[in-house]
Amino acid sequence: MSPFLLFGLMLLSQFMVGFNTPLPPPSYGDHVSILSIDGGGIRGIIPATVLIHLDNALKAKDPTTSLADYFDVISGTSTGGLMTLMLTAPSSPGSNQPLFTPSEVVQFYKTYGPDIFKPRSFFDPIKCPKYDGVFLRDKARELLNDTRLNQTLTNVVITSFDEQKIYPVIFSSFKLKTQTYLNALLSDIGLSTSAAPTFFPSHEFQNGGVKFDLIDGAMAANNPALVATSEVIQHSGQKEILLLSLGTGIPKAKEKLGIINFDPLCQIGWLTQNIEVISEVAFSTDMTHYYLATIFPGLLPDDNYLRIEEYNLDPSMKDMDDASKKNMDNLEKAGTGLLTQKVKRVNLNTYEPFELNQTNAEALNRLAEKLYAERQLRLKRKSMEKGGRPFIETI
């Protein structure tokens, strides 16, 4: 082999290694980055569609990377928890590529949504919960196989609620050193966080000698942004936080009370058997926006926090289990339409959203610039720490 060819192969090897390097820890950078995705059933199509824009913006800078290469933490509840696993589970053992891209997540919903939310047979003697959950269970196990929490491509924080022990269970990568029993199969975590009462059966399993009987993470926090931020603050010191929080759509004010929309045939039976759960949830008011205000902008720069939500969702799209083609297409259009809307913040006195002076697409593009710069900074500092200049300055 000629010296010139050998040098060329060495150069290409170093070049590719640089691109495939996982995101170094926050100790090498200036920020800790969090992606948080709300619950909402089939309405998960909305945040998944928004993420396509961010993913494309980042791939324009480096086509070899995924969202897991830029976010230190990806957090989710219910459908957002399932999406978190899809974006962070490796595509195969040892791979640095995720199981799904955001575009593939949207297609997953549109392909399998009708099977996930397929009503029981009229002749099925069991009427509650509304769906038997068999298809979702089998699909989760097929896709996630034996992958566990400690094998995700970046840190994960997913909420659930134990209906027997009456307290939240947070599956967090940060907790694994001290609470090893949380290192569960990703399929069990996904089935737990998405087990919406009256819609799907609770998910029971055992791991590390601990028994779980878990239901939808929305019982703990439908918007998991505060949970993820708390985990980061506890474990990452004084680093500034970059937070992208994605919602699944909220109908106009007078329609809000119908957003959960428990199945009427099942809710009475479930509520009477789980009064302790409801009592706990009732007194755990969702104050996520209010609490985050102590961090954004109180302690950190205001533009470090981006919340993208449809605050005026058409009531015809509010049902979490309407997997008709028409509704799923409309949800995808709603996600695309969000990109052209102005960024909104919530007034903490009136709890009404108000507009800022940039669109969500523009804000995502700016976030992509920050995420890319942070990744390059970490890779450079890590390389310099090993002694010497980076082989390629832009990495």
Side-chain angles (χ1 to χ4, degrees):
M1 181 180 295
S2 72
F4 179 78
L5 180 57
L6 179 61
F7 176 77
L9 290 174
M10 290 175 61
L11 177 62
L12 179 61
S13 174
Q14 290 290 333
F15 186 72
M16 295 306 296
V17 165
F19 277 122
N20 291 326
T21 302
L23 180 66
S27 57
Y28 288 96
D30 294 337
H31 301 88
V32 182
S33 51
I34 304 172
L35 167 60
S36 174
I37 311 170
D38 289 10
I42 199 65
R43 298 199 317 273
I45 289 174
I46 294 176
T49 302
V50 170
L51 281 176
I52 292 174
H53 182 90
L54 178 61
D55 189 49
N56 288 339
L58 291 167
K59 280 187 166 57
K61 302 176 184 300
D62 183 349
T64 69
T65 56
S66 68
L67 292 176
D69 291 311
Y70 294 96
F71 285 101
D72 295 295
V73 181
I74 300 183
S75 178
T77 289
S78 194
T79 194
L82 288 173
M83 202 180 308
T84 294
L85 298 178
M86 296 164 81
L87 296 172
T88 62
S91 58
S92 60
S95 172
N96 286 330
Q97 295 301 310
L99 191 61
F100 284 80
T101 65
S103 179
E104 290 168 341
V105 170
V106 172
Q107 292 308 309
F108 176 89
Y109 279 112
K110 298 184 78 172
T111 300
Y112 297 113
D115 294 308
I116 293 172
F117 296 106
K118 183 178 181 179
R120 293 178 183 271
S121 167
F122 177 79
F123 300 101
D124 189 339
I126 299 175
K127 302 301 181 184
C128 299
K130 188 175 181 180
Y131 307 105
D132 61 23
V134 172
F135 182 86
L136 180 59
R137 181 196 66 199
D138 292 346
K139 183 58 65 174
R141 290 175 176 171
E142 172 194 334
L143 293 173
L144 297 168
N145 295 305
D146 296 324
T147 310
R148 292 186 176 270
L149 182 58
N150 66 344
Q151 296 172 301
T152 54
L153 299 178
T154 189
N155 295 302
V156 164
V157 177
I158 293 178
T159 63
S160 61
F161 195 97
D162 196 306
E163 65 175 357
Q164 295 301 318
K165 299 172 185 175
I166 318 299
Y167 58 64
V169 176
I170 311 300
F171 290 97
S172 168
S173 302
F174 296 104
K175 297 181 183 297
L176 294 184
K177 288 184 179 180
T178 58
Q179 301 176 57
T180 56
Y181 64 90
L182 292 176
N183 191 30
L185 292 171
L186 296 188
S187 57
D188 283 327
I189 296 174
L191 293 170
S192 298
T193 191
S194 60
T198 81
F199 285 96
F200 294 106
S202 65
H203 186 61
E204 298 181 40
F205 68 98
Q206 184 169 324
N207 191 65
V210 176
K211 293 182 179 180
F212 296 95
D213 183 2
L214 302 179
I215 56 176
D216 196 336
M219 295 296 149
N222 194 56
N223 178 345
L226 184 62
V227 178
T229 301
S230 176
E231 286 291 286
V232 165
I233 291 175
Q234 291 179 57
H235 296 91
S236 298
Q238 301 301 313
K239 295 286 184 179
E240 283 193 7
I241 296 174
L242 293 175
L243 172 61
L244 171 61
S245 175
L246 302 179
T248 59
I250 300 175
K252 53 188 177 181
K254 68 178 182 180
E255 302 286 347
K256 279 185 179 180
L257 291 179
I259 192 75
I260 298 178
N261 195 30
F262 287 133
D263 180 66
L265 295 177
C266 302
Q267 63 181 349
I268 294 177
W270 186 86
L271 291 175
T272 56
Q273 296 177 38
N274 293 275
I275 189 65
E276 297 91 348
V277 175
I278 295 303
S279 298
E280 175 68 17
V281 173
F283 290 103
S284 298
T285 307
D286 184 4
M287 294 287 286
T288 299
H289 289 295
Y290 190 86
Y291 294 137
L292 284 176
T294 66
I295 303 173
F296 309 101
L299 302 179
L300 299 176
D302 188 43
D303 60 358
N304 281 10
Y305 172 43
L306 174 60
R307 171 72 172 174
I308 298 182
E309 175 69 287
E310 174 53 77
Y311 291 98
N312 194 29
L313 185 70
D314 187 323
S316 69
M317 292 187 277
K318 72 178 182 180
D319 291 343
M320 61 165 279
D321 60 339
D322 182 356
S324 65
K325 183 179 186 304
K326 178 182 178 181
N327 189 58
M328 291 191 292
D329 287 343
N330 286 338
L331 289 168
E332 188 174 9
K333 290 176 183 177
T336 302
L338 262 178
L339 297 171
T340 61
Q341 290 185 23
K342 295 288 188 180
V343 174
K344 295 183 177 69
R345 287 285 170 86
V346 173
N347 183 306
L348 297 180
N349 293 314
T350 65
Y351 290 92
E352 291 292 328
F354 62 93
E355 292 185 347
L356 301 184
N357 62 355
Q358 60 179 326
T359 67
N360 287 315
E362 291 170 340
L364 286 171
N365 291 339
R366 292 183 182 182
L367 177 62
E369 293 285 351
K370 283 189 173 184
L371 292 171
Y372 182 74
E374 174 71 15
R375 175 173 165 77
Q376 301 297 9
L377 175 66
R378 293 189 195 184
L379 290 170
K380 182 174 182 179
R381 286 178 176 173
K382 184 177 182 180
S383 177
M384 294 295 288
E385 182 184 72
K386 293 181 179 179
R389 298 176 57 194
F391 192 85
I392 300 175
E393 289 292 342
T394 59
I395 296 176

